Amino acid sequence: MPAPSYHAPRPAVVHTAARAAMGGLPANASILCVAKAETHARIDAKVLRGLGLPQPRWLASGLEAARHLAEHGADLVLVDEDCREMSGVEFVRLIRLHPRLATTPVVALATNSRSSTVLQAMAAGCSGFCLRPYSPEALLRESLRAVQRAPVLAQEILDSLNGQACSEGAFAGKLAALESIQVEIERTFTPPPPPPAATQCPAAQHRQLAREWKEQGRPDKVRHHLQEGAKALARAGKSYDAWAMLDPLRQANPQVEPACAVAEACVRDGELTVAAGLMGQTLRRTKRPAMVYDAARRACCFTPHPHDTARQLADALVREGVGATSMDVFLDIMHDAEPAPQRLPERRSLLAAMPSLHDVVMVARHTFATYRKVNRGEALPMSQHRLEELQELEGLG
């Protein structure tokens, strides 16, 4: 026995051509979709094809759609709330100025459910309104209603224009004027395209900024831009120039190697090749490997996988040409990476290892303590037997 369904059965779908014929819309109707968003146009076309209607034509430009309607007309127009140069309401107001487009069925599609949106669309001359997202039945019902109401609304549309309706020639001139205005607007407000290539490399830009901040007395900004410029040069494979760019920082504080600081930041960011280039230059030019080892260790410890980072950094140092020291760097970083060898048993104290010596030391310690107390004149606790022996010795004396 089949499981019960919790969804109400849908009514049998009547053939779309018959349903369209009932509203006066032919089965091979010419349909135009006007929408700025291609996604909305694709949805509308899919729903119309599912209803058995022909493939609609999609235009994103409101001016182009108005020209197409003036030349070819349409049996049904679906207009979205946004077109390329204008809103959907403005598009409807524009096409209603044409004498042959007053009776064209127009259905407005919008995602805004406010009553003001519906009233604006109807006041502009729309024959129907459908809210996104919609069902195929809702779109078909509203389209058929628009086809039926279009002849009735035609006179109301003409009356609402108050004599603003124009002839076909005047309508074409109006479209041409709007297109020229649109071109001027795009020319005025569209930013110029970026140059094909930057006239100044990033390192030079950072160097210039460092000079400007130096004049303003901001050493922190100077340090930042010099480090960023060194990174840019190192990424471009110019590790020697990157090391030389940091000379002002090196002169300001000779105890600190700025290239190592930049290399640490590169290791933390995963740029191991860049870091190896800076470390290699430091090893060649300063002969201070301990500084490089410390920088590499600190940087690797601040990564998610320090041991793997250390191995990759050692490989990058080999490629950089400092293979003789890369193993030292690797071992210095990885001193606790591999399992430690079997350790010797912990050393026992000498007294614990030799019980007889322990007794000797304990006796000697007690003797020295007693000697110190006697010298300080302190009374010593003695047994009764020992006290009698001393008294006898004193009597003999």
Side-chain angles (χ1 to χ4, degrees):
M1 180 177 179
S5 175
Y6 294 99
H7 299 280
R10 303 182 65 179
V13 179
V14 183
H15 192 270
T16 307
R19 299 176 75 175
M22 289 188 299
L25 189 64
N28 57 349
S30 173
I31 304 176
L32 176 65
C33 292
V34 186
K36 180 179 180 179
E38 184 179 0
T39 305
H40 288 178
R42 289 181 180 274
I43 294 174
D44 299 339
K46 183 177 180 180
V47 172
L48 291 174
R49 288 198 305 268
L51 293 171
L53 295 172
Q55 173 71 26
R57 181 184 180 89
W58 169 56
L59 292 175
S61 169
L63 294 176
E64 187 178 353
R67 185 178 298 279
H68 173 82
L69 289 174
E71 295 177 0
H72 306 285
D75 296 316
L76 177 65
V77 177
L78 302 180
V79 57
D80 199 56
E81 55 187 340
D82 287 321
C83 306
R84 183 169 293 172
E85 302 89 0
M86 61 191 72
S87 65
V89 171
E90 292 171 341
F91 169 76
V92 176
R93 289 173 182 166
L94 175 61
I95 64 173
R96 291 310 189 193
L97 297 176
H98 194 281
R100 288 190 293 103
L101 299 179
T103 58
T104 302
V106 179
V107 177
L109 304 175
T111 57
N112 186 358
S113 60
R114 292 197 299 264
S115 59
S116 58
T117 305
V118 182
L119 293 176
Q120 288 178 2
M122 293 305 177
C126 290
S127 313
F129 183 90
C130 197
L131 186 65
R132 294 184 186 275
Y134 53 79
S135 64
E137 291 79 6
L139 180 61
L140 179 61
R141 181 176 61 252
E142 199 63 28
S143 300
L144 297 179
R145 184 181 301 172
V147 172
Q148 296 170 358
R149 295 177 60 190
V152 180
L153 294 177
Q155 188 59 43
E156 296 181 7
I157 294 172
L158 294 176
D159 294 340
S160 64
L161 293 176
N162 296 324
Q164 297 180 7
C166 53
S167 62
E168 295 186 12
F171 185 80
K174 189 176 185 65
L175 288 181
L178 291 175
E179 289 174 350
S180 62
I181 293 174
Q182 182 64 27
V183 170
E184 189 64 27
I185 290 175
E186 292 179 355
R187 185 181 305 168
T188 303
F189 292 98
T190 302
T199 57
Q200 196 176 21
C201 67
Q205 295 175 358
H206 284 293
R207 184 181 285 110
Q208 179 63 30
L209 290 172
R211 293 195 190 100
E212 295 176 0
W213 283 114
K214 184 178 181 181
E215 295 175 357
Q216 299 183 21
R218 293 291 302 274
D220 55 334
K221 294 290 186 180
V222 174
R223 182 173 60 255
H224 169 74
H225 286 290
L226 288 179
Q227 290 176 347
E228 291 299 320
K231 286 182 185 179
L233 288 172
R235 292 189 188 104
K238 302 178 180 179
S239 57
Y240 177 83
D241 296 335
W243 195 91
M245 187 175 183
L246 299 171
D247 278 339
L249 301 180
R250 204 171 286 111
Q251 296 172 4
N253 190 357
Q255 303 300 324
V256 178
E257 176 51 53
C260 289
V262 177
E264 287 186 49
C266 293
V267 171
R268 290 194 295 268
D269 295 338
E271 299 177 306
L272 301 181
T273 302
V274 178
L278 293 170
M279 290 181 178
Q281 289 296 328
T282 305
L283 289 170
R284 295 189 191 98
R285 299 178 62 83
T286 63
K287 306 301 181 182
R288 299 169 66 182
M291 186 178 294
V292 175
Y293 300 163
D294 293 340
R297 185 191 308 108
R298 285 194 301 268
C300 291
C301 288
F302 281 95
T303 58
H305 306 286
H307 299 165
D308 295 339
T309 305
R311 291 189 180 92
Q312 296 173 14
L313 181 59
D315 294 340
L317 288 171
V318 172
R319 294 192 298 268
E320 185 62 26
V322 287
T325 56
S326 65
M327 185 54 64
D328 296 335
V329 175
F330 174 73
L331 293 176
D332 191 66
I333 299 170
M334 298 283 294
H335 64 280
D336 60 344
E338 302 297 337
Q342 186 67 29
R343 295 184 178 181
L344 296 175
E346 295 184 359
R347 290 186 302 173
R348 300 171 60 191
S349 65
L350 188 60
L351 298 180
M354 301 177 65
S356 58
L357 181 61
H358 176 270
D359 296 337
V360 172
V361 172
M362 292 300 295
V363 171
R365 184 181 302 167
H366 179 73
T367 303
F368 288 136
T370 305
Y371 178 77
R372 286 194 298 268
K373 289 182 180 181
V374 170
N375 289 337
R376 290 196 297 267
E378 297 178 7
L380 298 178
M382 294 185 182
S383 64
Q384 184 65 27
H385 177 71
R386 180 59 178 163
L387 183 59
E388 293 175 353
E389 291 180 351
L390 289 177
Q391 291 175 352
E392 289 178 0
L393 290 175
E394 289 178 357
L396 292 174

